[in-house]
C-alpha cells in the first residue's frame, strides 16, 4: 500500500513529537490543520489528493517566506529566522524547484508556441502563462514564472 503525503506528514509529526522537536512538530501541526481545513471547506467533507495536499503545503511555505520578509523588514530578526526555518522545513515536502535555466527553457518554448499562433507583446502574457503553469506546477513559484515570461517578452 502506498502512503499518501498527508499520512507521511502525520507520521513525521508523531516522530517530531516523540523527539521533542518543537519547530518541526508545530510546523507540521499547522500544515495538517490547513489540510484538514481545506478538506472540510465547501458543502461536504472530502479526502484531498496528493496534488491538492501539495498545493496546500506550497501555500503554507509561501506564507512563511512572506512572513519572514515582513519580520525582517520590521526589524524582528528572531521571528524572521523562525518563519524562514519553518518555510525550509515545508520545502522538504515539495518537489525539487526548477533551476532558472530549466524555467527559462520552458517559458521560451511557450513564447514560441504563442508567437506562432499570432500573439505578440504584453497581451500574450496570459496565453503564455496558461501554457507554462501546468508544466511547472509545484516546481516554480508563480512570481518567478511571471518574471521569466516578462523578461522574455521584453527582451
Amino acid at each position: 500500500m502506498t502512503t499518501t503525503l498527508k499520512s507521511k506528514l502525520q507520521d513525521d509529526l508523531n516522530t517530531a513529537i516523540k523527539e521533542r522537536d518543537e519547530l518541526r512538530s508545530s510546523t507540521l501541526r499547522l500544515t495538517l490543520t490547513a489540510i484538514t481545513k481545506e478538506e472540510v471547506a465547501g458543502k461536504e467533507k472530502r479526502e484531498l489528493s496528493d496534488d491538492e495536499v501539495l498545493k496546500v503545503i506550497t501555500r503554507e511555505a509561501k506564507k512563511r517566506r512572506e512572513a519572514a520578509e515582513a519580520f525582517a523588514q520590521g526589524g524582528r530578526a528572531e521571528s524572521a529566522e523562525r518563519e524562514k526555518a519553518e518555510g525550509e522545513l515545508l520545502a522538504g515536502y515539495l518537489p525539487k524547484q526548477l533551476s532558472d535555466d530549466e524555467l527559462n527553457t520552458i517559458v521560451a518554448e511557450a513564447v514560441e508556441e504563442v508567437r506562432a499562433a499570432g500573439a505578440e507583446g504584453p497581451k500574450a502574457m496570459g496565453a503564455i502563462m496558461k501554457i507554462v503553469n501546468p508544466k511547472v506546477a509545484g516546481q516554480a513559484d508563480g512570481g518567478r514564472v511571471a518574471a521569466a515570461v516578462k523578461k522574455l517578452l521584453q527582451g
Side-chain angles (χ1 to χ4, degrees):
M1 184 178 132
T2 59
T3 57
T4 62
L5 187 54
K6 183 180 175 186
S7 61
K8 179 175 175 15
L9 289 169
Q10 192 67 53
D11 293 343
D12 289 353
L13 172 61
N14 291 339
T15 304
I17 291 170
K18 287 176 187 163
E19 294 173 356
R20 300 198 184 284
D21 184 342
E22 194 275 327
L23 174 73
R24 184 176 214 81
S25 62
S26 70
T27 303
L28 292 175
R29 266 196 193 105
L30 287 169
T31 304
L32 283 164
T33 300
I35 291 168
T36 304
K37 189 175 173 187
E38 190 76 23
E39 287 177 335
V40 297
K43 295 198 182 294
E44 58 185 63
K45 187 177 190 297
R46 64 194 175 89
E47 192 73 27
L48 294 183
S49 69
D50 274 358
D51 286 344
E52 292 170 313
V53 171
L54 265 179
K55 285 180 184 169
V56 173
I57 295 172
T58 303
R59 190 169 55 231
E60 291 296 309
K62 183 179 180 186
K63 284 182 191 174
R64 300 307 189 288
R65 278 195 312 273
E66 290 171 350
E69 288 174 21
F71 281 133
Q73 289 173 353
R76 295 182 55 194
E78 194 175 295
S79 297
E81 284 303 312
R82 170 142 181 129
E83 292 291 335
K84 198 173 187 179
E86 287 180 7
E88 288 169 5
L89 195 150
L90 290 174
Y93 292 95
L94 297 173
K96 187 175 129 334
Q97 296 292 298
L98 292 172
S99 70
D100 288 339
D101 291 340
E102 293 168 323
L103 179 61
N104 287 334
T105 303
I106 292 170
V107 170
E109 290 170 4
V111 168
E112 290 306 314
E113 195 176 317
V114 169
R115 283 191 176 146
E120 275 295 323
K123 292 177 184 165
M125 185 158 177
I128 294 168
M129 293 296 282
K130 281 182 186 167
I131 295 170
V132 173
N133 278 336
K135 293 180 183 177
V136 300
Q139 298 177 320
D141 184 48
R144 271 184 65 206
V145 176
V149 170
K150 280 181 188 170
K151 190 172 133 191
L152 265 175
L153 284 176
Q154 292 168 351

